Every structure is written in structure tokens, then in C-alpha cells.
Amino acid sequence: MATQYGISGTTAKGIAASVERGVAEGVLGPGAALPPVRRLADELGVSPGTVATAYKELRGRGIVVTRGRGGTVVASAPAVASRRPPKVPPGLRDLAGGHPDPGLLPGLVPPSRLAPGARSHRSTPRLARLEEVVRDWLRPDGVPVDHVTFAHGALDLIGRLLSVELRPGDAVAMEDPGYHHLLDLVTALGLRSVPVTVDDEGMRPDALHGALRAGVRAVVCSPRAQNPYGGCFSAERRDALREALEEQPDVLVVENDHASAVTEAPLRTLTGGGLTRWVHVRTVSKFLGADLRWAAAACDATTLARHDGRLLLTSGWVSHLLQDAVYGLLTDEATRALVSRARETYALRRTALLRELGARDFEAHGVSGMNVWVPVADESAVVNGLRSYGWWVAAGARFRLSSGPGVRISVAELEPADAARLASDFAAVLGESEATYGG
């Protein structure tokens, strides 16, 4: 409880810093209640307005949330904490990280095309030749390409858009289970996540309708390779979601196609229909390497102006050296062949594990992408049990908002020959208690 931690300070900033320190040190855990404004003001000898300002600052940074009559409490994933996974114990096979196979990534060679000297980065922030490559990349998938922009990765772009479009306290519809860094980002911006259940076809329309009725200002979704569940929009699901969203023209729709080039599933994009506010985001981390902090996006004209306007005031532009490196790789025939091989390899590895788990009557999900989600009743029992067999998988807690427990298994480096052993070890961990620990 908050009474076990002595909040101090005589100014709003001092009080906020004291609370944040308690959260960072773990003394104030998720859900811990802070004292009512007037009571804390009396204890500290300050005005209620000073405490109210401190709480407002903490809410704006996503450290606390207000629950009406429930008072002010520490957020479930406060911005000073993290859902980052624990370090992989020595000697274990890492199937938790979600990283691509290094053997399927191209070598990164610094570009040499750019001559030294001053260039007009702000007036021409994007290389024209890379813009055309991006348009050629997106157009065949039905994404409108009239307006494109670049960013330093998908999280950078999504975070910038949400901070421009929304205000602290606004609600965002988020996939559940969903990508943990995005869940943390929403909290860090002082926004509220409204969970939207997913299945093998992505967001469920009934759950999205519920989120829209709750007044969300933005929707963040993955059209394929959904992380961690692996869902992929069918044509019917895409149409149902688009129909729901077209009834809310002021809601910003963020489509995160994070594993595009290495996902064998087709893209069925929400864009290109009757949406008013939308952005389709693609990054290259999964097939060119995480060190290339670059993402491309297509969007409507208003979203472009707001994103680029804020970018201009912060980093200004994405490095032309980085853009040139991305251009060189995206147009290189050898790299394209390697990406094609990676796409086939990841599909083979994922389907091999699904087949082995299915043969042992385990429920598992992963129709696309680089991960397999296995529902379980006790995440810790499964994670620790597999650890004893030399495997390290991800507990599902950091991916979930209100959905049921599970574990995420990343298959990028799991050879088909190893899938049978992992599935067998999974069965051994569950033993005769499948009804308790399994799906």
C-alpha cells in the first residue's frame, strides 16, 4: 500500500519525483493506491492544488492512472518499469527473444553514394529514389501510396503519431495479447489501453466494436504475423473490421505490418477503403537487421502533415546515410533472394512446430509470422519446466492485458528437427496434468 512508502516533497515536481522513485524501486507496485489529494496535502503541509498538479504530471507520464472512486493508483505497467523479458539464463536455447535468424540477414555495408558537403535535409528529408522503392513495395499489396514518410523504426513512428493525435487519458484499442513494447509505449504516453481480443484472423470484430463504443481515439493492429498470436486477416475479417472503423471517421487506424517481407501470408490491408485517418507502417528489422532503425509508412494527407511536422521539430529527418543503406539493400538482387529464402524458412520452421504440438493434442496458434502462442493455465510452471529441459520460452504475461495466460515460442532459429524434441519436452513438462496446464 502507498502508506508503507513515505511520499515526500514540498512542490509538485518534488512530490511527483518521490512517487516515481518509489515506483522505480519497487516499493510502490502496480495497483498500489496513492493517498487522496487532501490527505497527502495535509501530511506534507502543502496545498491540495500542489498535490493535484503532481498527480496530473504522473498521469501524463503514464506512471499512475485514476480510477474514479477507486482513486489514483500506480499503473499496471508504469513507464519507469518495463515488460522487457528477463535475461536468458546461461546454457539455455533462447526461443523467447523474437529475433530473426542472423544467418538469414544480409551484411550491412556503409553506403558510398553520398558526396560530402551540405545537403538540404530539411527541405528534402526523404531520398526520392527510396520513396519510389517504397511505393513500388506497398502498391502491389493495395496500400495507397500518394503520401509516404519515413521514421526511425515502427515504434518511433507510432509513438510520434499517438503523441500528436491524442492527449493523456485518451483510450487506444490494442491487440490482446499484443506486442509488449507497444503496450508499454501507450502507457508511457499517458494513454489508456482498451484490450481487443485476437484470434487466428487477427482482431475480433465484436471486441473492436466494444472498444469503439468505449470511445477509443486510435486503433493499433497487425494485419499479419500478429505478435505474439500469429493471426492474419482473412478477407472476411478485414472487411468486417473496416466496416466497423468506417463508422468512426475520427479514429486513427495504425496498421503495423512489422514482418512484411518475411511473412508468407498475403496482406489484406484495412487501408484503401473508406477510412479517413489511417497509416500503414513497415519496418525492415525482421529481414534487414535490427540495427537499421528505419521504417516506411503510407498514410492520409492529414496524418502525413502531423507526423512530419512533429518530426521536423525533433530529429528533423531520418539520416540520408541510413536511407541510402536501406535503398541499396532493398534494390540488391542478392538481398532479395536472401529475404525470399528467409520467408520460406520461417514458414517451414513455424509449421513444423505447430505440426509437432498438434500431434500431441496441444492447442497452438501461429498461422503466420515467426512466433507460436500456446495457451496454458500456469505460465511459470511451463517456463520453468521447459527451462529444466534446456529451453527458454517467453511467459505470456508481458503480452497480455486481460486475455488468458500462454507462452510465446519464437521459431526463427528453431530447426524442424528440433521441433519434435521441443514438443516432446513440452508434453513431459505437462505430464499427466494437461487438463490443468494445457490449453
Side-chain angles (χ1 to χ4, degrees):
M1 296 295 294
T3 53
Q4 297 175 330
Y5 175 75
I7 298 174
S8 61
T10 57
T11 65
K13 287 189 177 298
I15 295 169
S18 175
V19 173
E20 184 170 354
R21 187 163 54 250
V23 173
E25 293 173 354
V27 182
L28 292 175
L34 301 187
V37 169
R38 290 190 177 277
R39 193 177 84 198
L40 183 57
D42 289 342
E43 292 174 359
L44 299 178
V46 299
S47 71
T50 298
V51 176
T53 300
Y55 282 10
K56 180 179 180 181
E57 180 180 339
L58 291 166
R59 284 196 302 273
R61 301 213 317 277
I63 296 173
V64 303
V65 295
T66 298
R67 295 178 175 171
R69 293 184 178 180
T72 299
V73 302
V74 176
S76 59
V80 294
S82 174
R83 296 180 193 232
R84 289 183 181 275
K87 291 183 178 180
V88 181
L92 299 186
R93 182 80 176 275
D94 181 14
L95 302 179
H99 307 298
D101 185 341
L104 295 172
L105 297 175
L108 300 182
V109 179
S112 58
R113 294 181 180 86
L114 296 180
R119 287 176 291 275
S120 182
H121 295 93
R122 288 185 179 273
S123 61
T124 311
R126 295 180 293 275
L127 297 181
R129 57 179 177 274
L130 183 55
E131 280 192 342
E132 288 309 306
V133 167
V134 167
R135 288 189 169 91
D136 291 343
W137 184 21
L138 299 176
R139 190 181 292 108
D141 289 325
V143 178
V145 294
D146 292 336
H147 309 287
V148 299
T149 190
F150 305 154
H152 296 96
L155 287 171
D156 174 62
L157 186 142
I158 295 172
R160 186 174 297 112
L161 280 176
L162 293 181
S163 66
V164 170
E165 298 283 345
L166 280 66
R167 296 294 178 266
D170 286 345
V172 183
M174 301 294 293
E175 296 168 328
D176 186 22
Y179 182 40
H180 59 101
H181 288 310
L182 275 174
L183 297 177
D184 286 347
L185 177 62
V186 167
T187 300
L189 292 173
L191 306 173
R192 294 184 293 112
S193 290
V194 175
V196 178
T197 309
V198 300
D199 59 21
D200 290 334
E201 296 182 66
M203 276 188 166
R204 292 176 56 91
D206 56 340
L208 177 60
H209 275 290
L212 292 171
R213 286 195 297 270
V216 297
R217 296 283 311 283
V219 176
V220 182
C221 62
S222 301
R224 52 183 171 178
Q226 195 274 343
N227 186 3
Y229 207 88
C232 173
F233 288 169
S234 64
E236 295 76 15
R237 177 63 56 85
R238 184 267 319 277
D239 292 345
L241 296 175
R242 183 186 282 170
E243 181 180 358
L245 292 166
E246 287 175 354
E247 297 175 358
Q248 302 288 338
D250 294 331
V251 172
L252 174 66
V253 179
V254 180
E255 189 172 72
N256 182 22
D257 193 20
H258 67 99
S260 57
V262 285
T263 302
E264 81 285 4
L267 174 69
R268 298 181 179 95
T269 179
L270 292 169
T271 67
L275 299 186
T276 303
R277 300 298 314 287
W278 59 272
V279 59
H280 177 91
V281 189
R282 287 190 184 180
T283 181
V284 297
S285 298
K286 296 299 184 185
F287 61 95
L288 296 184
D291 279 336
L292 283 173
R293 308 307 300 164
W294 179 86
C299 52
D300 65 271
T302 299
T303 300
L304 177 77
R306 292 180 178 177
H307 173 272
D308 286 7
R310 179 60 62 88
L311 179 67
L312 184 65
L313 295 173
T314 53
S315 58
W317 64 88
V318 175
S319 163
H320 282 192
L321 292 172
L322 174 59
Q323 291 186 50
D324 199 58
V326 172
Y327 173 83
L329 289 168
L330 288 179
T331 57
D332 178 65
E333 290 301 324
T335 299
R336 288 180 173 178
L338 181 61
V339 171
S340 179
R341 181 159 67 89
R343 181 169 56 248
E344 296 170 358
T345 301
Y346 293 145
L348 179 66
R349 292 173 181 176
R350 188 188 69 254
T351 54
L353 179 58
L354 290 170
R355 181 174 61 250
E356 295 294 343
L357 290 170
R360 293 162 177 80
D361 296 324
F362 292 124
E363 177 188 354
H365 303 273
V367 298
S368 62
M370 303 164 67
N371 301 295
V372 168
W373 178 263
V374 186
V376 297
D378 190 326
E379 295 176 358
S380 296
V382 173
V383 171
N384 291 326
L386 288 175
R387 177 178 180 174
S388 69
Y389 284 87
W391 305 102
W392 186 247
V393 301
R398 72 179 188 271
F399 303 97
R400 299 187 287 108
L401 292 170
S402 61
S403 58
V407 294
R408 189 192 75 170
I409 303 173
S410 296
V411 301
E413 298 185 72
L414 184 70
E415 294 289 351
D418 295 328
R421 181 168 67 88
L422 173 58
S424 178
D425 291 343
F426 207 110
V429 167
L430 300 184
E432 298 300 322
S433 302
E434 181 180 344
T436 301
Y437 294 121

